[in-house]
Amino acid sequence: MALRFTVQGDSEQETAAGLALLVAAGLQLAMPPRELTDRRWMARAVPSPTTKAPTGDAPGRGPAVTN
């Protein structure tokens, strides 16, 4: 399954700002901000090929987390 993270905004600037947050979190640009119908904007980011999924045995992650 491929992961895609989408940002939707009311303007190109708002969408670009949200996309910048995803890129800062380690994702890479998949689709720059584009205007859709009805003056809505969308951008996409995907995990970089070097990003590894968190393992279930890391502290605070996975099904064995207790509160």
Side-chain angles (χ1 to χ4, degrees):
M1 169 174 44
L3 293 175
R4 291 176 205 90
F5 297 85
T6 302
V7 176
Q8 293 181 318
D10 293 330
S11 68
E12 182 176 13
Q13 294 78 18
E14 181 181 47
T15 306
L19 181 61
L21 293 174
L22 293 177
V23 171
L27 299 172
Q28 74 182 96
L29 175 68
M31 183 181 91
R34 291 189 183 156
E35 188 173 13
L36 305 175
T37 59
D38 298 329
R39 301 172 72 198
R40 294 178 299 142
W41 287 81
M42 178 187 285
R44 288 191 179 128
V46 296
S48 70
T50 59
T51 303
K52 296 199 180 235
T55 60
D57 59 348
R61 297 188 183 272
V65 174
T66 59
N67 290 331

